[in-house]
Amino acid sequence: MTAERTLVLVKPDGVQRGLIGEVVARLERRGLHLVGLKLMVIDEDLAARHYAEHVGKPFYPGLVRFITSAPVVAMVWEGPDAVALVRSTMGATNPAASAPGTIRGDLAVSIGTNIVHGSDSPARAEVEIGLFFHTKELVSWGSAVAEWTLGG
Ligand code: DAT
Ligand code: MG
């Protein structure tokens, strides 16, 4: 089985609202495996690299202002199909369209402040993990319950 990795951010609104534990708990309960974690403030340069695909869109300046405005929690989660599993646990970008039961569908009302980021493809995940973490900050550890979550 190939384990995939993906970058997750608890965005400034999630940290300010005390939802770090809520996001971590949902991903842990889903069965994914945490391999990197840090609290940090994103600077303008990192924001520009992370959100490069959105440069030039009308919401881009506000997005950069928001993501650099207060600390975030950056994490790397691992598991089969980790990218897709995180995206489905997050819910749709616009909370008005996010299904109840998802992080955004349960906890967010605004597209600008939607609590959580997750990489949108395995290729993008690799790039984003490299932006936020040094290889030595990622810790691989054997999960004693893996056979019960991953089907052995
Ligand atoms: P996602 O975060 O679901 O991957 P995205 O990559 O399309 O969504 O956009 C990145 C973030 O930018 C998103 O979480 C919130 C913000 N954003 C996207 N579209 C927006 C819009 N139309 N108005 C305001 N903010 C927007
Ligand atoms: Mg995105």
Side-chain angles (χ1 to χ4, degrees), residues 8-24 37-42 66-75 103 107 113-117:
V8 175
L9 301 176
V10 181
K11 294 183 183 180
D13 57 326
V15 174
Q16 294 294 326
R17 290 176 58 193
L19 296 174
I20 300 167
E22 175 82 29
V23 172
V24 170
L37 174 84
K38 64 176 144 188
L39 180 77
M40 61 185 285
V41 177
I42 297 179
F66 165 62
I67 205 70
T68 58
S69 64
V72 302
V73 171
M75 299 178 277
I103 293 169
L107 303 168
T113 49
N114 58 14
I115 303 174
V116 73
H117 168 85

Side-chain angles (χ1 to χ4, degrees), residues 25-105:
R26 285 175 182 235
L27 296 174
E28 279 186 315
R29 290 210 309 268
R30 187 83 202 249
L32 290 165
H33 192 156
L34 183 66
V35 298
L37 174 84
K38 64 176 144 188
L39 180 77
M40 61 185 285
V41 177
I42 297 179
D43 64 21
E44 298 261 337
D45 181 61
L46 179 56
R49 289 165 194 261
H50 178 65
Y51 281 129
E53 66 171 310
H54 298 304
V55 172
K57 295 182 184 170
F59 61 83
Y60 179 76
L63 176 60
V64 171
R65 216 175 309 123
F66 165 62
I67 205 70
T68 58
S69 64
V72 302
V73 171
M75 299 178 277
V76 177
W77 288 84
E78 186 177 84
D81 284 324
V83 169
L85 283 169
V86 165
R87 294 289 299 187
S88 65
T89 304
M90 283 163 50
T93 306
N94 187 346
S98 308
T102 64
I103 293 169
R104 289 164 169 173

